[in-house]
Amino acid sequence: MEKPGRFVERARDLEVYKRAYSASLEVHRATLGFPKIEQYALADQLRRSSKAICANLAEGFAKQSHSKAEFARFVSMAIGSCSEVETWISYAFDLQYITPSQLHTWRQSYAQIHGMLVSLRERLT
């Protein structure tokens, strides 16, 4: 969570953005090792949805000066992308593309990111 009294100038200053960005880099690197047949399917979906969290935060944050409701809408889209990542992670594990340790770490990370996004949206509405 953000510290009270600390001014946030850009989306990348948000703690949830920082965590989502870090997690998306980890996902990106790991999916590069998926089988070739999955590079334009599951791996691509995982990369896109993990990056969409940050992209939605950035776009919504930039629009918040015009409308807090618009920012809340983009945070909702980020929540949807986070849920999508969680689904693709399950597929990756069930297809044995990631280890149990990766599954556990990624599930924890995205559950935390999800909770932070929900809290952010609640503060905006």
Side-chain angles (χ1 to χ4, degrees), residues 2-125:
E2 307 311 312
K3 294 183 175 114
R6 183 171 167 250
F7 184 70
V8 175
E9 294 182 30
R10 303 189 61 116
R12 67 176 175 243
D13 297 329
L14 296 168
E15 185 62 30
V16 66
Y17 179 97
K18 292 174 187 176
R19 290 180 190 219
Y21 188 86
S22 177
S24 73
L25 288 175
E26 187 177 327
V27 164
H28 185 96
R29 287 183 190 108
T31 58
L32 293 175
F34 282 19
K36 185 174 180 156
I37 194 170
E38 293 292 4
Q39 288 305 311
Y40 297 103
L42 180 57
D44 186 56
Q45 289 290 97
L46 243 172
R47 287 190 292 262
R48 285 173 182 258
S49 58
S50 68
K51 292 172 187 170
I53 297 166
C54 296
N56 281 308
L57 285 172
E59 187 172 354
F61 191 90
K63 294 179 178 187
Q64 76 172 331
S65 62
H66 304 294
S67 170
K68 295 283 185 208
E70 185 71 355
F71 186 24
R73 187 174 75 83
F74 276 89
V75 172
S76 291
M77 287 189 281
I79 291 168
S81 293
C82 190
S83 294
E84 185 179 347
V85 170
E86 293 171 324
T87 299
W88 298 131
I89 287 169
S90 293
Y91 274 102
F93 177 73
D94 290 341
L95 293 168
Q96 300 177 348
Y97 299 151
I98 63 172
T99 67
S101 175
Q102 282 175 303
L103 174 70
H104 177 74
T105 299
W106 290 359
R107 277 189 174 162
Q108 274 192 315
S109 292
Y110 283 100
Q112 186 176 46
I113 291 163
H114 186 272
M116 294 172 80
L117 290 168
V118 169
S119 293
L120 177 57
R121 184 180 58 191
E122 288 173 356
R123 288 194 310 258
L124 293 168
T125 56

